[in-house]
Amino acid sequence: MPESSKFLPFALDTNDPEFRADRRALLEQAARAAIAYLDAENESAVEPSGQAVAALERFREPAPELPASANQVLELLTKVAAPATIRKTAGRNFGFVNGGCLPAALAAAWQVSAWDQNASFFVQSPAAVTLEEIALGWVREMLRLPEGTGGALTTGATMANFTALAAARHALLARQGWNVEEDGLYGAPEIRVVVGEEAHASIFKALGLLGLGRKRVVRVPVDDQGRMRADSLPELDDRTILCLQAGNVNTGAFDPAATLAPVARKAGAWIHVDGAFGLWARTAPPFHALVEGFDLADSWATDGHKWPNMGYDCGIALVREPEQLHAAMSIRAAYLLIGERREPTDYNPELSRRARGVELWAALKSLGRSGMAQLVERTSKHARRFAEGLHAAGYEILNEVVINQVLVSFGSPEKTLRTIEKIQQDGTCWCGSTVWQEHTAMRISVSSWATSDEDVERSLQAMLRAAAEVNGELGR
Ligand SMILES: Cc1ncc(COP(=O)(O)O)c(C=O)c1O
């Protein structure tokens, strides 16, 4: 036997005290490594070094013929993979819309992995199914959505958009006497989909997956913040899905739901809201006016892994009439012991799935509604501070900073991109680039519970340093 076979994953007697001691040692070692990783977050660069990324090549080998000990597996992850991660856990990662992971959610994730539950239906895991149901109810309450709304947990908002839009597709076609789940879209009556010009890419992906087509949409012009222009809304009817957006990924702007949603409801259209992060602004009283009207929708997509900081991954699809979602997603087979209660698998595209409802429950339990509201307010305050600091230094802020998103230009596209590159290399913080209505910009998304005032000041200084260096290189 090779030396690496000491703690093999098979032919073990799980009652053997020696096995138990080895397993305990392994898991304690894993926990120690994870804690050390977290403890190092303030001293470490957010972006991994080129050397660490290059070292990932060590993992490339033909499919291993011989087993390896679990300790050896863990050691490789700790020594080679961990240094090549992006420091998402630090409060200075402002890339994409990356939430952090609250301690309670992380602890819950460890439990979930130890339990190894399949959250498909109740018989498979009473605990996972019950906590998921409760967490979904809390999300509905915190977001102030209509009573009776039900939904599903998915991997992310992309799948939540897909899931909710599958319910919309079902409902609109059923109204016209067409059963899309049974008969598909061949020969089906046409559905019209209306989206804003700045709808998120995931909406188009979801429409493509649903056979509704990425291109076969009516695009409504938007203003300079990406908000749908109410005066350009086309005629709607009960064969139309209107996709509104709560929180543009670049500007954070909200479509004017208070104006548009009543019109769409009156016309009998299905209103879907993509609120991957922005919908959570409904938890915070200072933002109530901004997010008015979104509760009039028929379906909503949002994320647990963005503003609620429950760690990856968790999307949330909500539907006002959950039976429409059930009709789109339910599955039956003799061996699937589907009961009378709410079974998760009847509401989402998957059968086997991680018990992410437990992690969502843990995040929401540890935050409470007031903690969630504070998280929204605090991260938005941080965003305003970034905008103020950058503007005071003479750089252009391209958006109205309404929530937690900032777009800044450091001058020409070349200068902006070079500044971003320098910021990433410096490692104090991490920001990505975008093009907003033809202007190259740096995106700052403050979405983590872990971001402190000090993180913001430190990061702001790093940004200003990088921008000054670029001005030195390329001229102001
Ligand atoms: C508005 C919006 N919709 C959808 C998504 C996709 O979310 P996910 O990455 O969780 O699939 C995002 C991601 O940032 C988003 O901002």
Side-chain angles (χ1 to χ4, degrees), residues 417-437:
L417 293 175
R418 180 78 187 114
T419 306
I420 296 169
E421 196 183 348
K422 272 192 183 285
I423 290 168
Q424 292 175 355
Q425 282 165 358
D426 167 75
T428 304
C429 64
W430 202 97
C431 297
S433 65
T434 191
V435 177
W436 175 248
Q437 298 186 345

Side-chain angles (χ1 to χ4, degrees), residues 41 46 71 124 175-176 217 229 379 462:
E41 64 205 359
V46 177
N71 307 74
Q124 294 248 52
R175 270 182 210 165
Q176 297 178 70
V217 292
R229 288 183 42 179
T379 45

Side-chain angles (χ1 to χ4, degrees), residues 42 49 67 72 87 103 123 159 178 190 206 217 230 250 264 317 330 340 345 358 373 407 420 440 449 468:
N42 279 330
S49 69
Q72 198 183 29
R87 280 278 170 178
V123 168
M159 279 311 286
W178 189 268
E190 200 160 317
V217 292
N250 285 311
S330 67
E340 290 302 306
T345 197
V358 178
L407 293 179
I420 296 169
T440 300
W449 68 280

Side-chain angles (χ1 to χ4, degrees), residues 25-372:
L26 173 77
L27 295 179
E28 285 171 355
Q29 194 189 334
R32 272 197 304 278
I35 294 163
Y37 177 87
L38 295 175
D39 283 348
E41 64 205 359
N42 279 330
E43 306 83 65
S44 309
V46 177
E47 180 164 284
S49 69
Q51 213 180 2
V53 174
L56 290 172
E57 289 305 309
R58 279 187 61 190
F59 285 108
R60 288 191 206 284
E61 56 173 338
E65 181 61 32
L66 294 174
S69 74
N71 307 74
Q72 198 183 29
V73 169
L74 174 63
E75 195 171 308
L76 270 171
L77 291 178
T78 311
K79 297 225 165 102
V80 188
T85 57
I86 183 107
R87 280 278 170 178
K88 243 185 99 283
T89 61
R92 290 168 283 103
N93 183 348
F94 308 112
F96 309 97
V97 187
N98 280 337
C101 185
L102 291 160
L106 173 58
W110 288 4
Q111 299 295 301
V112 165
S113 292
W115 301 339
D116 188 25
Q117 299 293 281
N118 182 346
S120 51
F121 42 96
F122 191 78
V123 168
Q124 294 248 52
S125 180
V129 170
T130 304
L131 288 171
E132 169 170 328
E133 190 182 318
I134 291 167
L136 271 166
W138 288 356
V139 170
R140 182 200 67 75
E141 274 182 60
M142 287 190 187
L143 296 178
R144 300 180 294 115
L145 300 180
E147 228 167 292
T149 293
L153 296 186
T154 62
T155 48
T158 301
M159 279 311 286
N161 276 324
F162 167 82
T163 303
L165 288 169
R169 183 183 69 164
H170 170 85
L172 263 55
L173 288 175
R175 270 182 210 165
Q176 297 178 70
W178 189 268
N179 185 333
V180 67
E181 285 73 31
E182 295 298 325
D183 299 323
L185 283 172
Y186 302 103
E190 200 160 317
I191 297 179
R192 202 162 56 121
V193 183
V194 176
V195 303
E197 196 63 69
E198 290 288 353
H200 190 267
S202 62
I203 288 284
F204 298 102
K205 180 167 178 174
L207 292 172
L209 291 172
L210 286 163
L212 298 175
R214 295 185 184 215
K215 254 176 37 189
R216 284 177 66 115
V217 292
V218 178
R219 290 171 180 260
V220 182
V222 293
D223 66 12
D224 62 348
Q225 300 302 304
R227 292 175 291 229
M228 220 184 257
R229 288 183 42 179
D231 56 3
S232 303
L233 190 70
E235 202 64 28
L236 303 174
D237 58 25
D238 63 358
R239 297 172 177 208
T240 306
I241 302 173
L242 171 67
C243 295
L244 297 180
Q245 180 165 251
N248 176 283
V249 72
N250 285 311
T251 62
F254 292 75
D255 282 335
T259 309
L260 301 180
V263 176
R265 278 203 85 72
K266 200 157 165 225
W270 179 288
I271 309 169
H272 171 68
V273 176
D274 175 8
F277 59 103
L279 207 54
W280 292 94
R282 288 182 59 84
T283 61
F287 297 106
H288 279 183
L290 190 66
V291 292
E292 216 187 299
F294 285 102
D295 52 325
L296 295 174
D298 298 281
S299 61
W300 303 263
T302 190
D303 264 323
H305 56 224
K306 290 194 170 74
W307 245 348
N309 277 249
M310 67 150 269
Y312 280 80
D313 53 21
C314 178
I316 304 162
L318 293 161
V319 179
R320 180 187 283 267
E321 293 176 3
E323 54 279 14
Q324 308 288 3
L325 184 55
H326 188 280
M329 294 293 167
S330 67
I331 180 170
R332 289 293 175 269
Y335 83 101
L336 295 175
L337 305 176
I338 301 208
E340 290 302 306
R341 50 183 301 137
R342 176 193 177 276
E343 301 284 23
T345 197
D346 276 339
Y347 292 88
N348 71 63
E350 297 150 352
L351 181 52
S352 295
R353 49 202 288 279
R354 181 177 171 80
R356 56 179 70 84
V358 178
E359 293 152 66
L360 180 61
W361 172 88
L364 298 180
K365 175 79 178 160
S366 83
L367 283 171
R369 198 207 53 77
S370 59
M372 185 64 230

